[in-house]
Amino acid sequence: MAQAMNSEHRPNDKIDVLIIGAGPAGLMMANWMAHCGVNARIVDKRGTKVFNGQADGLQCRTLEILDSFGIAHRAWIEGNHMLEICLWNPDKDGLIRRSDRIPDTTPGISRFQQVVLHQGRIERFFLDSIASKSDIRVERGVMPTKLDLDESLAEDPDAYPITVTLRHLSEEEATPKQTATSANGSVISDGLFRSNLSPDDTEDLLRKSELNDKANSEETVKAKYVLGADGAHSWVRNQLGFKLEGDSTDYIWGVLDIIPITDFPDIRMRCAIHSASSGSVMVIPRENKLVRLYIQLTTVGAGNAGKFDRSKITPDLILRSAQKIMAPYKITYRYCDWWTAYQIGQRVGTQFSAKERIFLAGDAVHTHSPKAGQGMNVSMQDAYNLGWKVASVVRGISDRSILKTYQSERRRIAQDLIRFDHRFSRLFSGRPAKDVMDEEGISMTEFKEAFENGNLFASGIAVNYGSSTIVAKSGDSVEQGDGSDVATQNEAYKVTSKPSLASKVEIGKRMPSFKVLNQGDARPSHFQELLRSNGTWRVVIFPGDLTNSRQAERFTELGKALGAQNSFLRRFTPGDARHDSVIELLAVHAGHRQKFTIFDFPEAFRPFDDKDGWDYWKIFVDDNSYHEGHGHAYENYGIDPGEGCAIILRPDQYVSYVGSMDDYDAMDRFFSAFMIEQSGQKAGNVREPLFDVGVAPGDIQENVAVRVGSSTSLVAA
Amino acid sequence: MAQAMNSEHRPNDKIDVLIIGAGPAGLMMANWMAHCGVNARIVDKRGTKVFNGQADGLQCRTLEILDSFGIAHRAWIEGNHMLEICLWNPDKDGLIRRSDRIPDTTPGISRFQQVVLHQGRIERFFLDSIASKSDIRVERGVMPTKLDLDESLAEDPDAYPITVTLRHLSEEEATPKQTATSANGSVISDGLFRSNLSPDDTEDLLRKSELNDKANSEETVKAKYVLGADGAHSWVRNQLGFKLEGDSTDYIWGVLDIIPITDFPDIRMRCAIHSASSGSVMVIPRENKLVRLYIQLTTVGAGNAGKFDRSKITPDLILRSAQKIMAPYKITYRYCDWWTAYQIGQRVGTQFSAKERIFLAGDAVHTHSPKAGQGMNVSMQDAYNLGWKVASVVRGISDRSILKTYQSERRRIAQDLIRFDHRFSRLFSGRPAKDVMDEEGISMTEFKEAFENGNLFASGIAVNYGSSTIVAKSGDSVEQGDGSDVATQNEAYKVTSKPSLASKVEIGKRMPSFKVLNQGDARPSHFQELLRSNGTWRVVIFPGDLTNSRQAERFTELGKALGAQNSFLRRFTPGDARHDSVIELLAVHAGHRQKFTIFDFPEAFRPFDDKDGWDYWKIFVDDNSYHEGHGHAYENYGIDPGEGCAIILRPDQYVSYVGSMDDYDAMDRFFSAFMIEQSGQKAGNVREPLFDVGVAPGDIQENVAVRVGSSTSLVAA
């Protein structure tokens, strides 16, 4: 089905999903559409992608998400890994000294740790991922000029209620000032080895030349859904009349991306340096020998209008500030890659969507200080939350009720982020207290604690979505979210989880990951590696120890229910789609791998396909591996091998439900609350007669086409 | 220098290195040339690279080598991982049963384990790696027709003693039968999802169309060195009149690459199945649901001439044999990707080079059974052994004496391989013994032991090069190699290792790898990850515990000697080359990371560069990491932290020498035996005056150019 939708060649003016803005949030959305086979276009008014500067931290959760699309390893290989944070504070003589070291990523929270890499590379990985799965290409130099939503059609799933006028810009119009500086600077013209312009960006630059073909023309398109991922100055947000709420502070910071020449010993660590009275510096070591310095500019005040005077700020002024703060250590540079200055502010959007038809994500709905490394991460995670929901509705799998959870879940995160950033910025920009009596100063103990707690928050792992149609947990969905009502409307479908059956799995959080072995080939995988982002829900059965006859019996009965013609696995899966394209069934048992083969499991867990035979990639075991140790998944998930459990996971890896391993009815109710019954379900696969009756070997393959053959001998003549 | 040589635009007809054959051996050689910046061309008479079938196992050592070029992760991600070998033998009733399980890769020998991936993908990774580092491109449809070596010029380093005539073929001539079948078959024409033709091969196919432009023209080129990597039927070998020695057996095997439909429970394991009297099957599970079956054909005999009749063999006949051997389990398929048949033979070349000017590698000098998964691996490892030596001589770093070690080291490996394969094939193809009295049958206990021992051999990790100019170990170089004399000729340069100082490091084997931390940023790396293949030798100093004052003193003294103007580090490095481009100096100390900074180390280990400041990537520590445990490198290398040691590593990661940590003279002698003193060494880098005298902060950066700048505020307007 995915393939079919992509290749249908609809008229160009009808689009299921139109994405405005090709930064990290827009590209994440486009990537979801590509991986789910949804018809989409993505436009950006800029002529090329970003080559220098810009956000650069990739938190653990972001890496987990990138990995679910198969691209995290590229960031992991290219990025700089930050392991330790060093806190430098004034000693009693007012000289800065290293006072503490804390791990940059809290050990154990994820299989990834934070890395730092230029935003342009992340965008490249997305572009490659999108191209590998679809015909979607970023259309650059294309700017929306008119946006209209016919609200009367908002709830009609077949309608295209949004009308957008797109203007194709000339190359000159499509080149923002910053990129122009970059293009005229050293990066492109003298080909320095450390250029951020990688060979795989060549195609991107060539495409610029196509801009002028359509220059100054306009087109009008109809869309089912629109995402405004067009940044802090969001045109889409302005069209909708939505506001950002919050305010700015007086703190002004400069940013230098340099190759430092310094005797400061921790320059390749992430550092928070508080000087006695000259302000603070944050050190972020980067790839290609670069270091980013966030430098407080205490000599530049905000003007009358609460805005600082940009013209006064130069790289030299920023460097001098750093030198003062870091004295007696010396620092200078011969190579500067990028620089900027900003005033700290925290704002969050009042609404994240108009009628769940036009959505906003990323900087368009939240702005804050860059120092916690959250901007790009939260933006991508907004779109990661939204993408599968929109795809699922467009594909006719889910009803529109799930779309409300986007604002409930993500606006709440933005509010939390703004609160976190407000406190963190104040602690970072304040003057250190001289002693306990200095009430106006910042306690360095409080700062350290905030940093440690902040690290877990900033990792993205702590995100905990509230109760809703798609998160079956106790509590008030209004309180747990941003105030929107996202509870299941039909009482008959309400489902109650039994969290104690997996005591270390938190409903609403992303599924933790431990190593398990494939039953069929003994290969260890992190459990999360099995949860690829392809729009599929997962029902994961932990049947426990199958040598326990009660568990074996429960499992067999469950297998029958799941394998039945009218099971929810079949009812919600379109007739022409693969058996696991809507809901994938996985099992992780607690026995010894070598005592079982896949043929000891109900066929629902190893579905038969007439071309591919049985499926060997659905059954796993919590056992020791040859080379990568024992994942102890049952213990780490808090699951009793004598009892087992069932866990439902959303397509974005968040935990929806924990219940009894054989409570088929509860699972059926859960999906029935928002999934759409499909007509024309296919009959179960017909198994090879070979395996049902006693056909002699050799009776079958006579009808088999040999696709490619040769009979070259490997022996030398 | 590397860059300079590549961009010099020499006349097309003078080539430093001409590589004939673009299979795995030829591509490995071209990749070395690319990574060392050596002028090279690579030609292949075929019009496209391989898309189906062909060798597919990647042993641990091969993955280590690919990783040193930055491409192992691609194989690791795409390939199928084989974890367990299941041995199936007849029980007392003659029915096959699983009798044993053994790990496919011996645990602990490498940070990689064997994976299986189609040869075409490996070639693709090489092509990308070559293109990322050089202008070298495979010239397809180009066939040598004449080869001449002027032996009188063989020892002149500046001469181009080899003359080769190259013929540019028409597309028809350049398309071998196998590829033609493939091109007309399903793979390309119906675009099956499991096609081996990946998107990144498109460019390759397009290039085919360029073939005809030069069709039927000829050119004559002069080369300093030629590599014949042109396969079992090697034209280069035939031109040189070199022979392969060995013979064929009567065993005939078929190969099927299929998606199996079977109730055999271990089909996703590597299996060795011995039936009671119908022959044997080897199961190799592959990527994309494919499984390769090696199937003994007991019904097809070798003819009178000792050759079997190919025309009798069909996929159907091969499948029927498999069905007989695997009964009572059933097996068939609907998709066959490729098939072939071969007769086992073991042969090895009499000579691996002509005057160390024209070399042979890969199938051109050894052929054997494919079942041990050695062919592609040993071929690549041949070229991996040769490439850096040739590059080093071409670059004027080393004299020609090191080239003799190629035959000494690799022909010995080929001889060992042939012996191993002979025994293994006999055990595999023989009929299982009925009982201990059955002397003609094969003992299944012996088979299991051979399999286990064979696994270590087959991993490539056990390779142990003999004593020579570049391997300072005791023993007779003639006996330890293939019979060539490769000992150091000048007695004054003979060096004796002290193996007991690193009791678990074997001189002549590749350096084992354990995790160490970077002193400057706390990042854990496998030690091997520091040993990138770029043509650089490494001197690794293990100074031990530097809180021990004797060790600290020895280390300081050594630092002075290494940092001196006349040290071997400088004498052998061309004046215009980076300080670490010929010999890189690394340190791994045994203290606690947090007690030191890089400024506690002699400057030789953190060289200063006027643009980049100090080098943070040369000093490491054997300490605990935050997320990846403790590597215990000193313990695992058998090095006493109270004594330390110095280890010299070849550019291919093999251990040349183990000695006292401060025996500067021995290290100097070692390199002096074959390295060429360079004229025009540059003076030491001039350090920033900022760091030598008390210049006030801010005095320096005024002269610094800011390359790229902007002052965009991150605050929303």
Side-chain angles (χ1 to χ4, degrees), chain A residues 81 84 101 105 186 194 289 316 319-320 333-334 339-340 343 593-594 612 626-627 688 701-702 704 709-710 712 715, chain B residues 84 101 105 194 289 316 319-320 333-334 339-340 343 523 593-594 612 626-627 688 701-702 704 709-710 712 715:
Chain A
H81 292 224
E84 192 170 77
R101 301 181 191 249
T105 298
S186 68
R194 60 179 67 92
K289 302 183 184 171
D316 183 46
L319 178 64
R320 281 171 191 268
Y333 62 83
R334 286 205 188 275
W339 67 276
T340 190
Q343 191 170 10
R593 176 180 60 83
Q594 297 190 350
D612 295 344
Y626 283 115
H627 308 282
E688 284 286 338
Q701 80 290 349
E702 239 117 41
V704 170
S710 93
T712 320
V715 178
Chain B
E84 193 171 75
R101 300 182 191 250
T105 299
R194 60 179 67 90
K289 302 182 183 171
D316 183 46
L319 179 63
R320 281 171 190 268
Y333 63 83
R334 287 207 188 275
W339 67 275
T340 190
Q343 191 170 10
R523 180 174 179 182
R593 177 180 59 81
Q594 297 190 349
D612 295 344
Y626 284 114
H627 308 283
E688 284 285 338
Q701 82 289 348
E702 238 115 44
V704 171
S710 93
T712 319
V715 177

Coordinates of all heavy atoms in Angstrom, one line a residue, chain A residues 81 84 101 105 186 194 289 316 319-320 333-334 339-340 343 593-594 612 626-627 688 701-702 704 709-710 712 715, chain B residues 84 101 105 194 289 316 319-320 333-334 339-340 343 523 593-594 612 626-627 688 701-702 704 709-710 712 715:
Chain A
H81 N 31.8 13.3 20.4 CA 31.1 12.7 21.6 C 31.5 13.5 22.8 O 32.7 13.7 23.1 CB 31.5 11.2 21.7 CG 31.0 10.4 20.6 ND1 30.5 9.1 20.9 CD2 31.0 10.5 19.3 CE1 30.1 8.6 19.7 NE2 30.4 9.4 18.8
E84 N 32.0 14.3 29.4 CA 32.1 14.8 30.7 C 31.8 16.3 30.7 O 32.2 17.0 29.8 CB 33.5 14.5 31.3 CG 33.7 14.7 32.7 CD 35.1 14.2 33.2 OE1 36.1 14.9 32.9 OE2 35.2 13.1 33.8
R101 N 33.2 17.4 38.2 CA 33.1 16.7 37.0 C 31.8 15.9 37.1 O 31.6 15.2 38.0 CB 34.2 15.8 36.7 CG 35.6 16.4 36.7 CD 36.6 15.3 36.4 NE 38.0 15.7 36.6 CZ 38.9 15.8 35.5 NH1 38.5 15.7 34.3 NH2 40.1 16.2 35.8
T105 N 26.1 12.5 29.8 CA 24.9 11.8 29.7 C 24.8 10.9 30.9 O 25.8 10.2 31.2 CB 24.9 10.9 28.4 OG1 25.0 11.7 27.2 CG2 23.6 10.1 28.3
S186 N 35.2 31.9 3.1 CA 36.3 30.9 2.8 C 35.7 29.5 2.6 O 36.3 28.7 1.9 CB 37.2 30.9 4.0 OG 36.5 30.3 5.1
R194 N 38.4 21.8 6.4 CA 37.4 21.6 7.5 C 36.1 22.2 7.1 O 35.2 22.4 7.9 CB 37.9 22.2 8.8 CG 38.2 23.7 8.7 CD 38.6 24.2 10.1 NE 39.9 23.6 10.4 CZ 41.1 24.2 10.2 NH1 41.1 25.4 9.5 NH2 42.2 23.7 10.6
K289 N 37.8 19.5 15.1 CA 38.6 20.3 16.0 C 37.9 21.6 16.4 O 38.5 22.4 17.1 CB 39.9 20.7 15.3 CG 40.8 19.5 14.9 CD 42.1 19.9 14.3 CE 42.8 18.7 13.8 NZ 44.0 19.0 13.0
D316 N 35.5 40.0 17.7 CA 36.6 40.5 18.6 C 36.1 40.8 20.0 O 36.7 40.4 21.0 CB 37.3 41.7 18.0 CG 38.5 42.2 18.8 OD1 39.3 41.3 19.2 OD2 38.5 43.4 19.0
L319 N 35.4 37.5 21.7 CA 36.6 36.9 22.2 C 37.1 37.5 23.4 O 37.6 36.9 24.4 CB 37.6 36.8 21.1 CG 39.0 36.2 21.4 CD1 38.8 34.7 21.8 CD2 40.0 36.3 20.3
R320 N 37.2 38.9 23.4 CA 37.7 39.6 24.6 C 36.9 39.2 25.9 O 37.5 39.1 26.9 CB 37.7 41.1 24.4 CG 38.8 41.6 23.5 CD 38.6 43.0 23.1 NE 39.6 43.4 22.1 CZ 40.8 44.0 22.3 NH1 41.2 44.2 23.6 NH2 41.6 44.3 21.3
Y333 N 42.4 32.4 18.5 CA 42.1 31.5 17.4 C 42.7 32.0 16.1 O 42.9 33.2 16.0 CB 40.6 31.2 17.3 CG 39.8 32.4 16.9 CD1 39.7 32.9 15.6 CD2 39.2 33.1 17.9 CE1 39.0 34.0 15.3 CE2 38.4 34.3 17.6 CZ 38.3 34.7 16.3 OH 37.6 35.8 16.0
R334 N 42.9 31.2 15.2 CA 43.2 31.6 13.8 C 42.1 31.3 12.8 O 42.1 31.8 11.7 CB 44.5 31.0 13.3 CG 45.7 31.5 14.0 CD 47.0 31.4 13.1 NE 48.1 31.7 13.8 CZ 48.6 33.0 13.9 NH1 48.0 34.0 13.3 NH2 49.7 33.3 14.6
W339 N 29.9 32.9 13.8 CA 29.7 33.5 15.0 C 28.3 34.2 15.0 O 27.7 34.5 14.0 CB 30.8 34.5 15.4 CG 30.8 35.7 14.4 CD1 31.4 35.8 13.2 CD2 30.1 37.0 14.7 NE1 31.2 37.0 12.7 CE2 30.4 37.8 13.5 CE3 29.4 37.5 15.7 CZ2 29.9 39.1 13.4 CZ3 28.9 38.8 15.6 CH2 29.2 39.6 14.4
T340 N 27.8 34.5 16.2 CA 26.5 35.1 16.3 C 26.4 35.7 17.7 O 27.3 35.6 18.5 CB 25.3 34.2 16.0 OG1 24.1 35.0 15.8 CG2 25.1 33.2 17.0
Q343 N 19.9 37.3 22.5 CA 19.4 37.7 23.8 C 18.5 36.5 24.2 O 17.7 36.0 23.4 CB 18.6 39.0 23.5 CG 18.1 39.7 24.8 CD 17.6 41.0 24.4 OE1 17.3 41.4 23.3 NE2 17.3 41.8 25.5
R593 N 17.3 -20.2 24.8 CA 17.1 -20.2 23.4 C 17.3 -21.6 22.8 O 16.5 -22.1 21.9 CB 18.2 -19.3 22.7 CG 18.2 -19.3 21.2 CD 19.2 -18.4 20.6 NE 20.6 -18.7 21.0 CZ 21.3 -19.7 20.4 NH1 20.8 -20.4 19.4 NH2 22.5 -19.9 20.9
Q594 N 18.3 -22.4 23.2 CA 18.7 -23.6 22.6 C 17.6 -24.7 22.9 O 17.7 -25.8 22.2 CB 20.1 -24.1 23.0 CG 21.1 -23.1 22.6 CD 22.5 -23.6 22.8 OE1 22.7 -24.6 23.5 NE2 23.5 -22.9 22.2
D612 N 8.2 -16.2 0.9 CA 9.3 -16.1 1.8 C 9.3 -17.2 2.9 O 10.2 -17.2 3.7 CB 9.2 -14.7 2.5 CG 9.4 -13.5 1.6 OD1 9.9 -13.8 0.4 OD2 9.1 -12.4 1.9
Y626 N 26.7 -14.9 22.6 CA 28.1 -15.3 22.5 C 29.0 -14.1 22.7 O 30.1 -14.3 23.3 CB 28.3 -15.9 21.2 CG 27.8 -17.3 21.0 CD1 26.8 -17.6 20.1 CD2 28.3 -18.4 21.8 CE1 26.3 -18.9 19.9 CE2 27.9 -19.7 21.6 CZ 26.9 -19.9 20.7 OH 26.4 -21.2 20.6
H627 N 28.7 -12.9 22.2 CA 29.7 -11.9 22.2 C 29.2 -10.6 22.9 O 30.0 -9.7 23.0 CB 30.0 -11.5 20.7 CG 30.4 -12.7 19.9 ND1 31.6 -13.3 20.0 CD2 29.7 -13.4 19.0 CE1 31.7 -14.3 19.1 NE2 30.5 -14.4 18.5
E688 N 2.2 -23.7 1.6 CA 2.7 -24.6 0.6 C 2.0 -26.0 0.9 O 2.1 -26.5 2.0 CB 4.2 -24.8 0.8 CG 5.0 -23.8 0.3 CD 5.1 -23.8 -1.2 OE1 4.8 -24.9 -1.8 OE2 5.4 -22.8 -1.9
Q701 N 9.2 -27.8 -6.8 CA 10.1 -26.8 -7.4 C 10.0 -26.8 -8.9 O 10.6 -26.0 -9.5 CB 11.5 -26.9 -6.8 CG 12.3 -27.9 -7.5 CD 11.9 -29.3 -7.1 OE1 11.1 -29.5 -6.2 NE2 12.3 -30.3 -7.7
E702 N 9.3 -27.8 -9.4 CA 9.3 -27.8 -10.9 C 8.6 -26.6 -11.5 O 9.0 -26.1 -12.6 CB 8.5 -29.1 -11.3 CG 9.4 -29.9 -12.2 CD 9.7 -31.3 -11.6 OE1 8.8 -31.9 -11.0 OE2 10.8 -31.8 -11.7
V704 N 8.9 -23.7 -10.3 CA 9.6 -22.5 -9.8 C 10.4 -21.9 -10.8 O 11.2 -22.6 -11.5 CB 10.4 -22.9 -8.5 CG1 11.3 -21.7 -8.1 CG2 9.5 -23.3 -7.4
G709 N 20.8 -17.3 -13.3 CA 21.6 -18.5 -13.2 C 22.9 -18.4 -14.0 O 23.1 -17.6 -14.9
S710 N 23.8 -19.2 -13.6 CA 25.1 -19.4 -14.3 C 25.7 -20.7 -13.8 O 25.3 -21.2 -12.8 CB 26.0 -18.2 -14.0 OG 26.9 -18.6 -12.9
T712 N 29.2 -21.1 -14.0 CA 30.6 -20.9 -14.1 C 31.3 -21.8 -13.0 O 30.9 -21.8 -11.8 CB 30.9 -19.5 -13.7 OG1 30.0 -18.7 -14.3 CG2 32.3 -19.1 -14.2
V715 N 36.7 -23.4 -10.5 CA 38.1 -24.0 -10.6 C 38.8 -23.4 -11.8 O 38.3 -23.2 -12.9 CB 37.9 -25.5 -10.9 CG1 39.3 -26.2 -11.1 CG2 37.2 -26.2 -9.7
Chain B
E84 N 26.0 -18.7 15.2 CA 26.2 -20.0 15.7 C 26.3 -21.0 14.6 O 25.6 -20.8 13.5 CB 24.9 -20.4 16.6 CG 25.0 -21.6 17.4 CD 23.9 -21.8 18.4 OE1 22.8 -22.2 17.9 OE2 24.0 -21.5 19.5
R101 N 26.4 -27.5 18.8 CA 26.4 -26.1 18.5 C 27.7 -25.5 18.8 O 28.2 -25.7 20.0 CB 25.3 -25.3 19.2 CG 23.9 -25.9 19.1 CD 23.0 -25.0 19.9 NE 21.6 -25.5 20.0 CZ 20.5 -25.0 19.5 NH1 20.7 -23.9 18.7 NH2 19.3 -25.5 19.7
T105 N 32.0 -17.3 15.5 CA 33.2 -16.5 15.7 C 33.7 -16.9 17.1 O 32.9 -16.7 18.1 CB 33.1 -15.0 15.6 OG1 32.6 -14.7 14.2 CG2 34.4 -14.3 15.9
R194 N 14.0 -7.3 -3.5 CA 15.3 -7.9 -2.9 C 16.4 -7.8 -3.9 O 17.4 -8.5 -3.7 CB 15.0 -9.3 -2.4 CG 14.6 -10.3 -3.5 CD 14.4 -11.6 -2.9 NE 13.3 -11.7 -2.0 CZ 12.1 -12.0 -2.3 NH1 11.8 -12.3 -3.6 NH2 11.1 -12.0 -1.4
K289 N 16.8 -12.1 3.5 CA 16.1 -13.4 3.6 C 16.7 -14.5 2.8 O 16.2 -15.7 2.8 CB 14.6 -13.3 3.2 CG 13.9 -12.3 4.1 CD 12.4 -12.2 3.7 CE 11.7 -11.1 4.5 NZ 10.3 -10.9 4.0
D316 N 17.5 -27.5 -10.4 CA 16.6 -28.5 -10.0 C 17.4 -29.7 -9.5 O 17.1 -30.3 -8.4 CB 15.7 -28.9 -11.2 CG 14.7 -29.9 -10.7 OD1 14.1 -29.7 -9.7 OD2 14.5 -30.9 -11.4
L319 N 18.8 -28.8 -6.1 CA 17.8 -28.8 -5.1 C 17.4 -30.2 -4.7 O 17.3 -30.5 -3.5 CB 16.5 -28.0 -5.5 CG 15.4 -28.0 -4.5 CD1 15.8 -27.3 -3.3 CD2 14.1 -27.4 -5.1
R320 N 17.3 -31.1 -5.7 CA 16.9 -32.5 -5.3 C 18.0 -33.1 -4.4 O 17.7 -33.9 -3.5 CB 16.7 -33.3 -6.6 CG 15.4 -33.1 -7.3 CD 15.3 -33.8 -8.6 NE 14.1 -33.3 -9.3 CZ 13.0 -34.0 -9.3 NH1 12.8 -35.1 -8.6 NH2 11.9 -33.5 -10.0
Y333 N 11.8 -23.7 -2.8 CA 11.9 -22.2 -2.9 C 11.0 -21.7 -4.0 O 10.6 -22.4 -4.9 CB 13.3 -21.8 -3.1 CG 13.9 -22.3 -4.4 CD1 13.7 -21.6 -5.6 CD2 14.7 -23.4 -4.5 CE1 14.2 -22.0 -6.8 CE2 15.2 -23.9 -5.7 CZ 15.0 -23.2 -6.8 OH 15.5 -23.6 -8.0
R334 N 10.7 -20.4 -3.9 CA 10.0 -19.7 -5.1 C 10.9 -18.7 -5.7 O 10.7 -18.2 -6.8 CB 8.7 -19.1 -4.6 CG 7.6 -20.0 -4.3 CD 6.3 -19.4 -4.6 NE 5.2 -20.3 -4.1 CZ 4.7 -21.3 -4.8 NH1 5.1 -21.5 -6.1 NH2 3.7 -22.0 -4.3
W339 N 22.8 -19.3 -8.9 CA 23.3 -20.6 -8.7 C 24.5 -20.9 -9.5 O 24.8 -20.3 -10.4 CB 22.2 -21.6 -9.0 CG 21.8 -21.7 -10.4 CD1 21.0 -20.9 -11.1 CD2 22.3 -22.7 -11.4 NE1 20.9 -21.3 -12.4 CE2 21.8 -22.4 -12.6 CE3 23.2 -23.7 -11.3 CZ2 22.0 -23.1 -13.8 CZ3 23.5 -24.5 -12.4 CH2 22.9 -24.1 -13.7
T340 N 25.3 -21.9 -9.0 CA 26.4 -22.3 -9.7 C 26.8 -23.7 -9.3 O 26.2 -24.4 -8.5 CB 27.6 -21.3 -9.5 OG1 28.7 -21.6 -10.4 CG2 28.2 -21.4 -8.1
Q343 N 34.0 -27.7 -8.8 CA 34.7 -28.9 -8.4 C 35.8 -28.4 -7.5 O 36.5 -27.3 -7.8 CB 35.3 -29.5 -9.7 CG 35.9 -30.8 -9.5 CD 36.3 -31.4 -10.9 OE1 36.3 -30.7 -11.9 NE2 36.6 -32.7 -10.9
R523 N 36.8 10.4 25.9 CA 36.0 9.5 25.0 C 36.6 8.1 24.9 O 37.8 8.0 24.6 CB 35.9 10.1 23.6 CG 35.1 9.2 22.6 CD 34.9 9.8 21.3 NE 34.2 8.9 20.4 CZ 33.9 9.1 19.1 NH1 34.2 10.3 18.6 NH2 33.2 8.3 18.4
R593 N 42.7 9.1 34.7 CA 42.6 10.2 33.8 C 42.4 11.5 34.5 O 43.0 12.5 34.1 CB 41.3 9.9 32.9 CG 41.0 11.1 31.9 CD 39.8 10.8 31.1 NE 38.6 10.6 31.9 CZ 37.8 11.5 32.4 NH1 38.1 12.8 32.2 NH2 36.7 11.3 33.1
Q594 N 41.6 11.5 35.5 CA 41.3 12.8 36.1 C 42.4 13.5 36.9 O 42.3 14.6 37.3 CB 40.0 12.7 37.0 CG 38.8 12.2 36.3 CD 37.5 12.3 37.1 OE1 37.6 12.4 38.3 NE2 36.4 12.1 36.4
D612 N 46.0 25.0 14.5 CA 45.1 24.2 15.3 C 45.4 24.1 16.8 O 44.7 23.4 17.5 CB 45.2 22.7 14.7 CG 44.7 22.6 13.3 OD1 44.0 23.6 12.9 OD2 45.0 21.6 12.6
Y626 N 32.6 6.2 31.3 CA 31.3 6.4 31.9 C 30.3 5.4 31.4 O 29.4 5.0 32.1 CB 30.8 7.8 31.6 CG 31.4 8.9 32.4 CD1 32.2 9.9 31.8 CD2 31.1 9.0 33.8 CE1 32.7 10.9 32.6 CE2 31.7 10.0 34.6 CZ 32.5 11.0 34.0 OH 33.0 12.0 34.7
H627 N 30.4 5.0 30.1 CA 29.3 4.2 29.5 C 29.8 2.9 28.9 O 28.9 2.1 28.5 CB 28.6 5.0 28.4 CG 28.2 6.4 28.8 ND1 27.1 6.6 29.6 CD2 28.8 7.6 28.6 CE1 26.9 7.9 29.8 NE2 28.0 8.6 29.2
E688 N 52.6 30.1 19.2 CA 52.1 31.4 19.4 C 52.9 32.1 20.5 O 53.1 31.6 21.6 CB 50.7 31.2 20.0 CG 49.6 30.8 19.1 CD 49.2 32.0 18.2 OE1 49.4 33.1 18.6 OE2 48.7 31.7 17.1
Q701 N 44.5 38.3 18.5 CA 43.4 38.0 17.5 C 43.1 39.1 16.6 O 42.3 39.0 15.7 CB 42.2 37.5 18.2 CG 41.3 38.6 18.8 CD 41.9 39.3 20.0 OE1 42.9 38.8 20.5 NE2 41.4 40.4 20.3
E702 N 43.7 40.3 16.7 CA 43.4 41.4 15.8 C 43.8 41.0 14.4 O 43.2 41.5 13.5 CB 44.2 42.6 16.3 CG 43.2 43.8 16.6 CD 43.2 44.2 18.0 OE1 44.2 44.3 18.7 OE2 42.1 44.4 18.5
V704 N 43.6 38.2 13.1 CA 42.9 36.9 12.7 C 41.7 37.2 11.8 O 40.9 38.1 12.1 CB 42.4 36.2 14.0 CG1 41.5 35.0 13.6 CG2 43.6 35.7 14.8
G709 N 30.7 35.0 9.0 CA 30.0 35.6 10.2 C 28.6 36.0 9.9 O 28.2 36.1 8.8
S710 N 27.9 36.1 11.0 CA 26.5 36.7 10.9 C 26.2 37.1 12.3 O 26.8 36.7 13.3 CB 25.5 35.6 10.4 OG 25.0 35.0 11.5
T712 N 22.8 37.2 13.4 CA 21.3 37.0 13.5 C 21.0 36.7 14.9 O 21.6 35.8 15.6 CB 20.9 35.7 12.6 OG1 21.7 35.8 11.4 CG2 19.4 35.7 12.4
V715 N 16.4 35.4 18.9 CA 15.1 35.7 19.5 C 14.1 36.1 18.4 O 14.4 36.8 17.5 CB 15.3 37.0 20.4 CG1 14.0 37.4 21.0 CG2 16.3 36.6 21.5

